[in-house]
């Protein structure tokens, strides 16, 4: 259902690197192939200047839709760490007081694997109460804290906010927003439209994803709840005046790859 008391906030999530962590921990930090609700709500909370201990109840109730404008590629980063004081790293063992002990023999450098999406572009649409969505739009345009896409080391490229839309189903909002892929990707378009993968939060959805945070408080840690989603494809214009496939190949001989083999 739609109504005048609701609105849709649209965000453009683009950066050289993004990382939308899932349940991975410790020495292997993975990324999901598209932004998570936890990551996007964290971005909004930072924009508003909320503390890590602040309630997320109002943000959690927002419905989220994600459109993949440019999927990007996976990057694995070889990452090392050490104690800045020159002390041996902590081991997995604990003493009788429950405190972690230092490694024996001493180990001063550890290795982690961290995964990122490089050169990816997403459109996120969040539907919720109009007053809340309007305040989030203002916060994204004038953020209290620097915004990042999943990790602090991943600042966005260009403005994040694409403005407010009148209340409508998330599918319509994701269809109405122009294609946000990079210029190099748009130049490669051969047709007037492009089909883009999308995911919409829907109680009747046929899949569950575990990415709804209860808090960002570091003392207690975050526990993730489930939400139902459904997958679909939306079609948006590429900006080309006409299909290039037929006009650019007119009059050219058919390509025969087997001719090179004499077949």
């Amino acid at each position: 259902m739609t109504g005048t008391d609701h609105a849709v906030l649209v965000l453009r999530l683009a950066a050289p690197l993004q990382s939308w962590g899932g349940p991975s921990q410790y020495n292997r930090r993975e990324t999901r192939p598209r932004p998570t609700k936890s990551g996007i709500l964290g971005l909004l909370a930072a924009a508003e200047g909320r503390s890590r201990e602040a309630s997320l109840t109002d943000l959690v109730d927002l419905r989220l839709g994600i459109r993949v404008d440019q999927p990007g590629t996976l990057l694995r980063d070889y990452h090392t760490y050490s104690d800045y004081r020159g002390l041996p790293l902590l081991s997995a063992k604990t003493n009788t007081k429950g405190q972690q002990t230092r490694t024996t023999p001493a180990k001063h450098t550890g290795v982690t694997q961290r995964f990122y999406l490089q050169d990816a572009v997403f459109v996120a649409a969040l539907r919720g109460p109009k007053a809340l969505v309007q305040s989030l739009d203002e916060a994204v345009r004038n953020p209290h804290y620097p915004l990042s896409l999943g990790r602090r080391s991943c600042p966005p490229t260009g403005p994040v906010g694409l403005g407010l839309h009148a209340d409508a189903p998330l599918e319509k909002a994701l269809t109405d927003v122009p294609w946000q892929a990079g210029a190099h990707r748009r130049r490669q378009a051969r047709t007037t439209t492009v089909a883009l993968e999308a995911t919409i939060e829907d109680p009747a959805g046929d899949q569950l994803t575990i990415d709804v945070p209860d808090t960002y408080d570091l003392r207690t840690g975050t526990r993730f709840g489930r939400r139902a989603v459904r997958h679909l494809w939306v079609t948006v214009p590429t900006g080309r005046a006409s299909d290039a496939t037929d006009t650019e190949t007119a009059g050219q001989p058919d390509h025969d790859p087997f001719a090179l083999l004499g077949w």
Side-chain angles (χ1 to χ4, degrees), residues 16-254:
L17 295 177
Q18 306 182 38
S19 188
W20 305 98
S24 58
Q25 302 181 63
Y26 309 116
N27 290 346
R28 185 181 177 90
R29 302 294 179 88
E30 298 178 351
T31 179
R32 294 188 181 179
R34 61 185 61 86
T36 61
K37 188 165 188 177
S38 175
I40 291 178
L41 296 191
L43 180 149
L44 296 176
E48 285 194 313
R50 299 194 189 196
S51 68
R52 284 187 170 273
E53 298 78 22
S55 172
L56 300 175
T57 302
D58 55 340
L59 298 182
V60 167
D61 289 338
L62 295 170
R63 291 280 181 86
L64 172 65
I66 297 292
R67 192 181 79 187
V68 183
D69 286 38
Q70 191 168 294
T73 56
L74 188 65
L75 171 69
R76 184 180 69 173
D77 178 37
Y78 178 84
H79 185 89
T80 62
Y81 63 95
S82 59
D83 191 302
Y84 72 95
R85 297 164 297 183
L87 299 175
L89 299 177
L90 294 172
S91 70
K93 299 178 180 179
T94 59
N95 57 25
T96 55
K97 297 181 179 180
Q99 300 170 330
Q100 282 184 277
T101 59
R102 299 285 173 178
T103 51
T104 305
K107 180 180 179 181
H108 291 84
T109 302
V111 176
T112 67
Q113 297 184 68
R114 304 195 179 192
F115 293 82
Y116 300 86
L117 295 176
Q118 52 186 352
D119 199 29
V121 182
F122 304 96
V123 169
L126 297 113
R127 179 181 180 270
K130 190 172 184 178
L132 172 62
V133 173
Q134 286 177 332
S135 69
L136 292 174
D137 178 50
E138 176 63 26
V140 168
R141 295 177 184 277
N142 301 280
H144 187 277
Y145 296 118
L147 304 182
S148 57
L149 305 188
R151 290 190 188 144
R152 291 184 180 179
S153 59
C154 302
T157 300
V160 172
L162 291 181
L164 294 174
H165 287 223
D167 189 24
L170 288 175
E171 182 174 347
K172 183 179 187 308
L174 293 179
T175 302
D176 290 345
V177 177
W179 195 23
Q180 298 295 313
H184 65 287
R185 177 68 183 89
R186 295 197 304 272
R187 285 194 296 267
Q188 295 172 354
R190 314 296 290 176
T191 57
T192 58
T193 60
V194 61
L196 304 175
E197 181 186 2
T199 304
I200 290 179
E201 190 170 344
D202 184 346
D206 56 357
Q207 293 192 13
L208 293 177
T209 183
I210 306 175
D211 65 351
V212 183
D214 62 343
T215 180
Y216 295 118
D217 192 339
L218 295 176
R219 295 171 300 178
T220 60
T222 302
R223 291 177 296 181
F224 296 99
R226 299 180 178 182
R227 63 189 177 104
V229 300
R230 61 184 174 92
H231 295 268
L232 64 154
W233 293 85
V234 296
T235 301
V236 299
T238 61
R240 293 195 68 101
S242 61
D243 288 355
T245 305
D246 296 332
T247 58
E248 294 184 4
T249 59
Q252 296 182 8
D254 292 339

